[in-house]
Amino acid sequence: MRGRPGGRGTIAAMTTDTTGTAARDGAPRPGGPADSPFVRACRRQPVPHTPVWFMRQAGRSLPEYREIRANVAMLESCRRPELVSEITLQPVRRHGVDAAILFSDIVVPVAAAGVDLDIVPGTGPVVAEPVRTAADVERIRPIGRDDVPYVDEAVRLLVAELGDTPLIGFAGAPFTLASYLVEGGPSRTHAKTKAMMYGDPELWHALCGRLADVTLAFLRVQVAAGVSAVQLFDSWAGALSEADYRRFVMPHSAKVLAGLADAGVPRIHFGVGTGELLGAMGEAGADVVGVDWRTPLDVATRRIGPDKAVQGNLDPTTLFAPWPVVEAEVRRILAEGRAAPGHVFNLGHGVLPETDPDVLTRVVALVHELSAAPADRG
């Protein structure tokens, strides 16, 4: 039976290491996050049911989140460990999902690296001085645990509370971070980003190389503190052709993922609008490739190959439809996911703020019911 917050609590943290693979005395022990349906699916191992979690499950769709975040700025909320812990736990308590994901923002590590930015409500990250020159790149300094102690503390608090339920760490991929820094904020065209890529590739690769180092260090802090998996978000990679992705982006994402090869945790790689990039994203070094709602999972599996699990991919807007429609779509995605050697059920992007939380709870229960192994039924 899966653990829930409060089920094993601090006892779990004392008897099982941060990946759940062995006790601190070195003796292997069954159970723990590493034996959870989520981690097993990521590792392409048999599972009692298809695990499910939702991107942006901790957020604006939950009234308890809106209440606790009232009058607290986004970056500030990411720097308060107890607040991060509570927000991360809220959807686990409410929905019964198979994994928690650390509440944070992709710009947290670059802010820690010295970039002057703010997360503006209704807009997103806004950079005070966009990157234009080699000197701008040089000002992005390396980071370590001492630069993000609040992340380390939040992860440790959560591991103690979650027990057998795994915690997913995350970070933004170098391309998406670079795009924010070059554009100065969100962009629909990524014109300035592409202008640097094409016009000054040396500067572009210097910037992405620096951001890869920052991202890898940020994820390593989370792994050391106890996360059971990591997800690398390349939210804007779908703006690129495969050729451009392979030339300008893939080496830097691969650097991050390769840097975690010895971490002992599954690595998930996700982007939006990346149907034509799925094979390359798998080649970059992920154990699991996230798929948005545009590409059926069986098609995605053929593109990615038989040695990767997949994650996805219910269209978030489906959750606004009548329940019979939602149920039919869940059934379809589970059927398509059977083509993959491992499947983690998720949305094809994040939970939209207007989503009814009760529908998410029903989806979790339905996925568990429909995918339960025969011995677990009844």
Side-chain angles (χ1 to χ4, degrees):
M1 183 174 179
R2 287 172 297 137
R4 291 290 173 226
R8 292 175 67 198
T10 56
I11 296 175
M14 291 188 291
T15 59
T16 307
D17 76 358
T18 56
T19 60
T21 54
R24 291 182 182 177
D25 60 8
R29 305 215 179 167
D35 199 39
S36 64
F38 167 74
V39 173
R40 291 184 65 85
C42 290
R43 297 193 185 283
R44 310 187 306 281
Q45 297 171 343
V47 292
H49 62 259
T50 299
V52 53
W53 70 279
F54 305 111
M55 288 180 282
R56 294 183 187 160
Q57 63 188 16
R60 292 172 291 173
S61 67
L62 300 182
E64 56 266 41
Y65 168 82
R66 293 192 294 270
E67 180 180 352
I68 200 171
R69 271 286 320 280
N71 302 315
V72 183
M74 181 62 185
L75 270 178
E76 176 61 23
S77 69
C78 296
R79 293 166 176 159
R80 295 186 184 180
E82 292 186 355
L83 183 60
V84 168
S85 179
E86 171 58 25
I87 292 172
T88 301
L89 291 168
Q90 286 175 348
V92 183
R93 296 192 196 106
R94 179 185 273 262
H95 303 312
V97 287
D98 292 282
I101 184 163
L102 181 70
F103 175 75
S104 188
D105 190 274
I106 63 171
V107 298
V108 166
V110 290
V115 176
D116 185 2
L117 57 83
D118 192 17
I119 301 175
V120 178
T123 299
V126 175
V127 179
E129 297 181 12
V131 172
R132 297 286 184 267
T133 67
D136 295 334
V137 173
E138 287 298 316
R139 283 196 290 271
I140 303 171
R141 60 177 182 262
I143 69 167
R145 179 193 173 282
D146 291 344
D147 298 291
V148 286
Y150 40 86
V151 173
D152 175 87
E153 183 178 348
V155 170
R156 293 180 189 278
L157 287 172
L158 281 160
V159 169
E161 285 292 323
L162 284 164
D164 288 348
T165 302
L167 175 65
I168 305 168
F170 88 100
F175 172 75
T176 293
L177 294 177
S179 295
Y180 275 114
L181 298 189
V182 173
E183 301 285 343
S187 171
R188 293 185 180 273
T189 64
H190 310 284
K192 294 173 184 172
T193 302
K194 293 184 177 183
M196 181 183 290
M197 278 172 39
Y198 301 140
D200 196 343
E202 183 177 352
L203 179 60
W204 171 259
H205 284 297
L207 172 60
C208 286
R210 183 65 60 95
L211 291 173
D213 291 338
V214 169
T215 299
L216 176 57
F218 187 60
L219 288 172
R220 281 204 162 273
V221 168
Q222 296 174 56
V223 170
V227 299
S228 296
V230 295
Q231 176 155 307
L232 189 66
F233 285 83
D234 214 348
S235 307
W236 292 355
L240 302 172
S241 68
E242 182 180 356
D244 284 348
Y245 177 84
R246 288 183 177 276
R247 178 183 176 189
F248 294 110
V249 176
M250 185 173 165
H252 305 291
S253 293
K255 181 180 182 181
V256 176
L257 293 166
L260 296 166
D262 64 348
V265 300
R267 299 157 294 173
I268 309 169
H269 199 15
F270 173 75
V272 183
T274 53
E276 297 302 318
L277 308 180
L278 290 172
M281 291 180 73
E283 291 174 36
D287 303 296
V288 184
V289 179
V291 183
D292 78 6
W293 68 92
R294 298 171 178 88
T295 308
L297 291 180
D298 51 350
V299 175
T301 295
R302 290 196 293 272
R303 295 178 182 178
I304 295 164
D307 60 339
K308 311 285 182 186
V310 297
Q311 179 176 278
N313 68 343
L314 182 69
D315 187 332
T317 62
T318 303
L319 299 171
F320 298 98
W323 178 251
V325 176
V326 177
E327 181 176 350
E329 286 297 286
V330 169
R331 289 178 179 273
R332 176 183 65 81
I333 288 163
L334 285 172
E336 292 170 353
R338 294 190 190 105
H343 177 209
V344 176
F345 192 99
N346 207 311
L347 302 182
H349 198 196
V351 175
L352 295 170
E354 303 84 5
T355 304
D356 181 352
D358 291 341
V359 177
L360 291 170
T361 305
R362 292 183 73 183
V363 167
V364 174
L366 180 63
V367 171
H368 288 169
E369 176 188 351
L370 294 176
S371 63
D376 295 322
R377 295 186 188 275

